[in-house]
């Protein structure tokens, strides 16, 4: 009996040891599952922040002297909108976390060492340090670190949204105002071009566009020939534009669109009829540029970022201060005669999106001579200079270059595409 009792006691002790060892092993596995899962989630959260950071930084890589400063600011601001630690705290990004390179696999430098004109790629490296394990500390593991990386560049978009305006392809032998040769579409960057039509839809008066060509350089178009009409064009202009456009899409000429001015002018924060700030959002400035408000000789150009002798603000400056359309009695009169409109205030224009720098198709306008339609051959980035005025007056646009050129101002328009894409340059993740 004594031997049986001793044996039972010994067995109970052995079971207790086995249970104890099993519990340790189970806690270790539980710790690995919980703590490693926590690290995986943290890395995923950081990955979202890194992607946002790289895309925002890349959008600013236009080669300008302040491009890298703007890129770091944009990447930091956008990336830090993300959260980490089960969405419990904001991600912290330092300037040194954002680096740049001229090549995907090249050396990445911070903004103090990189050359803005050469940088094509932005990289965000976001570490999260000091992550203390919940269970693995009993196994001797201390604070952990996880890091996420993202690299982005500007790549041609596969589709884009455009206004119902077509720039006419010109002879490639055109000489620009500064004596340089025109681009592949025969046009000159930052040069102004005059319309082939009046705001009422008729043919423009050639004498109203001195030095701009007797036939004009752009026209109203119909994206859905032959079914387009005034209401369709108005909806496109007051909305996001006609989207999912591609090269070779056929477009037609439009007839008289007498009410198109109200839709066009809404992008300047200038309203009439049923349109308002809610159903037709404006740009962040309505300041108008015409030969009288922007008197640059021998003929106006570069209202986007240039300077005028009368001190008028260029578009960049006008946006920063949310300048409204100046009407007739402002310091820099636009010499327009718009009546019956309601002008926006600076507060109305604050925080608005880019609505005057837009994508438009480029077509061979000669193609309309023998056909009802002609295909899109390229996409251009243009600046809407001023509201539409009286039917007999011309309309001016500033050509900002082809939309697939690096650093063009239309870089935020479109969806990333593959190697054959020809839309505007847009930020795209590459790693």
């Amino acid at each position: 009996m004594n031997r049986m009792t001793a044996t039972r006691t010994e067995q109970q002790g052995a079971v207790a040891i086995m249970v104890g060892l099993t519990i340790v092993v189970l806690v270790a596995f539980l710790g690995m599952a919980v703590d490693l899962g926590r690290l995986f989630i943290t890395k995923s959260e950081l990955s979202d922040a890194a992607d946002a950071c790289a895309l925002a930084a890349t959008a600013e890589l236009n080669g300008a002297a302040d491009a890298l400063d703007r890129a770091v600011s944009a990447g930091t601001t956008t990336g830090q909108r993300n959260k980490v630690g089960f969405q419990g705290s904001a991600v912290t990004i330092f300037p040194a976390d954002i680096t740049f390179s001229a090549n995907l696999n090249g050396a990445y430098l911070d903004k103090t060492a990189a050359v803005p004109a050469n940088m094509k790629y932005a990289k965000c490296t976001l570490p999260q340090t000091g992550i203390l394990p919940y269970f693995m500390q009993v196994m001797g593991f201390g604070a952990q670190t996880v890091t996420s990386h993202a690299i982005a560049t500007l790549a041609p978009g596969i589709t884009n949204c455009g206004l119902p305006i077509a720039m006419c392809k010109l002879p490639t032998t055109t000489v620009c105002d500064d004596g340089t040769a025109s681009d592949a579409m025969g046009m000159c960057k930052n040069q102004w071009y005059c319309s082939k039509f009046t705001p009422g839809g008729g043919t423009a008066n050639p004498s109203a566009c001195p030095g701009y060509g007797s036939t004009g350089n752009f026209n109203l178009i119909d994206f859905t020939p032959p079914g387009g009409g005034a209401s369709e064009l108005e909806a496109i202009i007051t909305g996001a534009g006609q989207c999912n456009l591609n090269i070779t899409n056929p477009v037609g000429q439009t007839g008289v669109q007498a009410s198109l001015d109200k839709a066009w002018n809404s992008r300047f924060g200038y309203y009439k009829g049923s349109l308002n700030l809610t159903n037709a959002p404006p740009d962040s400035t309505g300041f108008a540029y015409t030969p009288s408000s922007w008197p640059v000789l021998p003929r106006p150009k570069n209202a986007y970022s240039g300077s005028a002798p009368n001190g008028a603000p260029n578009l960049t400056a006008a946006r920063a201060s949310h300048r409204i359309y100046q009407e007739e009695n402002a310091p820099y009169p636009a010499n327009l005669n718009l009546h019956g409109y309601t002008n926006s205030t600076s507060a109305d224009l604050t925080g608005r999106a880019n609505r005057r720098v837009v994508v438009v198709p480029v077509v061979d306008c000669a193609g309309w001579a023998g056909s009802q339609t002609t295909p899109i051959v390229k996409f251009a980035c243009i600046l809407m200079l001023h509201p539409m005025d009286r039917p007999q007056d011309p309309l001016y646009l500033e050509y900002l270059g082809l939309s697939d050129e690096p650093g063009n101002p239309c870089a935020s328009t479109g969806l990333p595409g593959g190697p054959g894409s020809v839309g505007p340059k847009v930020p795209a993740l590459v790693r």
Side-chain angles (χ1 to χ4, degrees), residues 24-375:
V24 171
V25 173
L26 290 175
V27 169
F29 278 110
L30 176 63
M32 289 179 63
V34 172
D35 289 329
L36 290 179
R38 180 188 176 198
L39 294 178
F40 178 80
I41 291 173
T42 300
K43 187 174 181 65
S44 297
E45 292 171 325
L46 284 178
S47 180
D48 291 339
D51 290 350
C53 170
L55 289 169
T58 298
E60 304 297 331
L61 298 184
N62 61 3
D66 65 342
L68 301 187
D69 288 326
R70 289 186 284 103
V72 169
S73 177
T76 301
T77 301
T78 305
Q80 288 184 158
R81 291 175 180 168
N82 293 268
K83 294 184 180 298
V84 72
F86 296 100
Q87 301 296 293
S89 58
V91 173
T92 300
I93 302 177
F94 299 100
D97 296 333
I98 305 176
T99 53
F100 307 93
S101 178
N103 302 292
L104 176 60
N105 297 314
Y108 283 80
L109 309 172
D110 65 25
K111 69 175 186 177
T112 62
V115 179
N118 300 335
M119 298 299 102
K120 307 299 181 186
Y121 296 85
K123 178 180 181 180
C124 292
T125 304
L126 306 185
Q128 183 75 9
T129 61
I131 305 174
L132 289 172
Y134 293 133
F135 294 95
M136 297 299 288
Q137 292 186 68
V138 299
M139 304 292 292
F141 290 90
Q144 302 295 302
T145 298
V146 295
T147 303
S148 284
H149 309 265
I151 301 175
T153 190
L154 290 175
I158 190 170
T159 62
N160 45 271
C161 302
L163 288 191
I165 291 283
M167 301 293 293
C168 294
K169 179 181 177 182
L170 299 174
T172 55
T173 55
T174 303
V175 178
C176 302
D177 286 347
D178 60 4
T180 61
S182 58
D183 65 14
M185 294 293 105
M187 290 180 281
C188 302
K189 191 175 294 186
N190 294 120
Q191 191 163 303
W192 289 18
Y193 290 92
C194 192
S195 59
K196 294 170 66 68
F197 63 94
T198 67
T203 302
N205 177 6
S207 64
C209 304
Y212 288 84
S214 60
T215 60
N217 298 101
F218 59 89
N219 206 349
L220 288 169
I221 56 171
D222 177 10
F223 286 119
T224 58
S231 59
E232 179 181 299
L233 294 185
E234 290 168 14
I236 292 172
I237 294 174
T238 57
Q242 180 73 24
C243 296
N244 299 319
L245 296 175
N246 290 285
I247 297 297
T248 73
N249 282 164
V251 297
Q253 294 186 88
T254 66
V256 175
Q257 308 296 343
S259 61
L260 191 60
D261 59 325
K262 294 194 293 292
W264 182 275
N265 296 347
S266 70
R267 293 202 171 214
F268 294 79
Y270 214 48
Y271 294 101
K272 189 176 183 179
S274 61
L275 299 181
N276 53 59
L277 291 163
T278 300
N279 60 25
D283 191 88
S284 56
T285 180
F287 196 88
Y289 300 95
T290 67
S292 59
S293 69
W294 190 257
V296 175
L297 300 176
R299 60 179 179 177
K301 62 180 179 180
N302 199 12
Y304 178 76
S305 59
S307 59
N310 65 348
N314 60 32
L315 184 75
T316 303
R319 278 180 170 166
S321 58
H322 308 295
R323 295 288 295 267
I324 65 171
Y325 170 62
Q326 60 268 45
E327 297 183 303
E328 288 78 21
N329 300 317
Y332 312 112
N335 196 28
L336 299 181
N337 189 28
L338 295 170
H339 296 291
Y341 281 84
T342 300
N343 205 358
S344 299
T345 65
S346 292
D348 292 332
L349 304 182
T350 301
R352 297 292 177 173
N354 182 354
R355 298 277 286 168
R356 289 174 57 182
V357 175
V358 294
V359 172
V360 298
V362 179
V363 304
D364 184 355
C365 292
W368 279 316
S371 173
Q372 295 296 313
T373 63
T374 189

